[in-house]
Amino acid sequence: MSARILVVDDIESNVRLLEAKLSAEYYEVLTASDGPTALAMAAAERPDIVLLDVMMPGMDGFQVCRRLKDDPETRHIPVVLVTALDGRADRVAGLEAGADDFLTKPIDDVMLFARVRSLTRLKSVIDELRDREASGRRMGVIAGAASRLGGSGGRVLIVDDNLRQAERVASELAVEHRPVVESEPYKAVLTARGPVDLAIVNANAKAFDGLRFAAQLRSDEATRNIPILAVVDVDERPKTVKALEIGVNDILARPIDPGELAARVRTQIRRKRYTDYLRSNLDHSLELAVTDQLTGLHNRRYMAGQLEALMRRACQGGEPVSLMVIDIDHFKKVNDSFGHDVGDEVLAEFAVRLASNVRAIDLPVRHGGEEFVVVMPDTELEDARRIAERIRLHVAGAPFRVMGGQELLSVTISVGCATSMGAGDSATALLKRADEAVYEAKSGGRNRVIARAA
C-alpha cells in the first residue's frame, strides 16, 4: 500500500536520507524545511502521513503537530515525530500535542516501515469515511461537528494475565476512564463485544498469546473497529513489528510510563470516537437516502430497486408480485382547511395504520405527496385485494386525531391493485396498471378498492 508522506526537517541531509529510503519503497515523498511551510503543504497537499522533526528553529515539531491537530482539515493526518530526544518528558509532550508515535534517530528502517504501513491503513479507512460524510453534507443529510469529541471517559478493556500490572494500569486510567480487567481471553472477547472504546493487550502474557488475541479481535466483525494498544517490552522489536502488521493501533513499551499511557489512551479513544462519528453519519445518510422523513416509511428510490429485482424474478418464472397504490381522498381539502401541519399529521398517522396492516414481507412506501405504494412479493391479485380492503376499513373505521386531539378528521382512501403478468412484464407497466385502478376507484366514488387483472 503506497502513500504520500510529508518529511519535515531543517537539516537537508536528514530530509534526503528519509526521502531516499521512502522512495525506494515506492512512497511518494513531499518535503519541507520548516514549520510554516509544513503547515501550508499539509493543508494544500493532504499527505497520508507527516514525519516531523522535533528540533527545528522558530517553530518546533511540537508546535507544528499541535497546529495540525487543531485544524479540522488536517487533524486526521497521522503525525510521527522524528527526534534524537528519547526522554520521557519529550515523548509525553509529543503525544499530548497529538503525535501518533515517535521514531528515534538514527531511524530503524524496519520500525519506520512497519509504523508507516500501520498508519497508512488507518488513514485510508478514515479518508473513505470522510469522503462519504462529505457527500452526505453536500446532500444536506448530515449536520453537526466532531470538534467536541474528547478522549476521556472511555471504557477501556485491559487483557492481561499479570494481574499486578493490570491493576496498576487500571488504577492509572481510572482517574479519567472506566477500565475493566480480564485475564481470560474468552471472557475478554465477550466483554469486547459490548461498548468498548479501547483494548489494552499484554503481548507478553504467559497464559495466552496476546498477539493472537489481538488478531482475533481484528477478525471478528463485532470487534474489528476497536483500537488496540499492545504492551510490549521495550527491546522486543520483532514482536512490535508483528503487532503493527496484524493491525494493532499503537504500542506501549514496558516499563509502562503513566504519562505516556494516559496520552496514548487519550489519543486512541479520541480517534475511535471520531471514526464512530463518521460511521454514524454515514449510516444516517444512507438511512435518509432510502427513508421518507415524515412517515418513516421507505421512499420511492428504495422501492424502485426492490420492485425491479422482484419483477425480474417473476418474469423468469418466479412467484408473482402484486402492487397496491393508495391515494388519500380529498387530501387537498385537509391542507386548505387546516394547514399543512395538520396535513402532515394525517400522513404520519396514515403511515402507522398502513404499516400495521400489511404483512412482514410487504414493503410499504410513501411514493410522494398523499400517494402510497405497497410492494407485495409472492402475492396473487385476490390476496392483494383482500389486504387492501382490510387497510381501507381500518383507515375509514376510526377518525384521525389531529391538533393535539382537538380535532377529529374522517379519512378515506382509494386503492388500486395489480399483479405481475409473467414474462415480458415490467415494474413500470405494473405500476401503471395499479395507478389506473386507483383512478377507477376515485372516479367510482372513492373509499373503495379496485383490483385490475390486466
Side-chain angles (χ1 to χ4, degrees), residues 4-161:
R4 304 177 76 219
I5 302 177
L6 173 59
V7 176
V8 187
D9 199 317
D10 63 312
I11 299 176
E12 179 73 13
S13 59
N14 290 344
V15 172
R16 296 303 164 216
L17 179 61
L18 266 177
E19 184 178 20
K21 289 181 177 182
L22 294 166
S23 296
E25 295 295 321
Y26 304 103
Y27 291 105
E28 181 183 346
V29 182
L30 309 170
T31 64
S33 58
D34 57 64
T37 304
L39 292 172
M41 290 189 70
E45 301 292 340
R46 306 295 170 84
D48 296 300
I49 301 173
V50 178
L51 297 181
L52 178 61
D53 186 45
V54 171
M55 303 299 290
M56 295 188 296
M59 184 184 294
D60 66 24
F62 297 142
Q63 293 172 294
V64 175
C65 183
R66 196 170 289 110
R67 291 272 295 274
L68 287 170
K69 297 301 180 179
D70 285 343
D71 186 342
E73 297 302 316
T74 58
R75 65 164 55 116
H76 64 288
I77 300 174
V79 176
V80 177
L81 292 176
V82 181
T83 178
L85 306 173
D86 195 24
R88 169 202 179 270
D90 296 306
R91 282 202 315 276
V92 173
L95 292 168
E96 288 181 344
D100 294 84
D101 206 358
F102 269 82
L103 289 175
T104 304
K105 296 177 183 178
I107 294 175
D108 182 325
D109 290 359
V110 174
M111 288 302 301
L112 168 66
F113 294 123
R115 187 40 111 173
V116 165
R117 284 192 293 270
S118 172
L119 292 173
T120 298
R121 287 194 299 268
L122 170 69
K123 174 68 163 38
S124 66
V125 171
I126 293 178
D127 279 350
E128 182 176 357
L129 292 172
R130 282 171 56 86
D131 288 344
R132 293 182 181 184
E133 187 210 27
S135 297
R137 288 187 184 280
R138 286 193 296 271
M139 292 165 58
V141 297
I142 290 180
S147 59
R148 297 184 298 276
L149 300 177
S152 62
R155 189 159 191 259
V156 181
L157 171 63
I158 302 166
V159 188
D160 196 342
D161 63 343

Side-chain angles (χ1 to χ4, degrees), residues 283-303:
D283 291 343
H284 182 56
S285 66
L286 290 174
E287 180 182 348
L288 290 176
V290 299
T291 305
D292 174 64
Q293 293 307 290
L294 175 62
T295 64
L297 301 179
H298 283 104
N299 62 18
R300 183 174 189 162
R301 178 186 301 172
Y302 182 78
M303 181 204 76

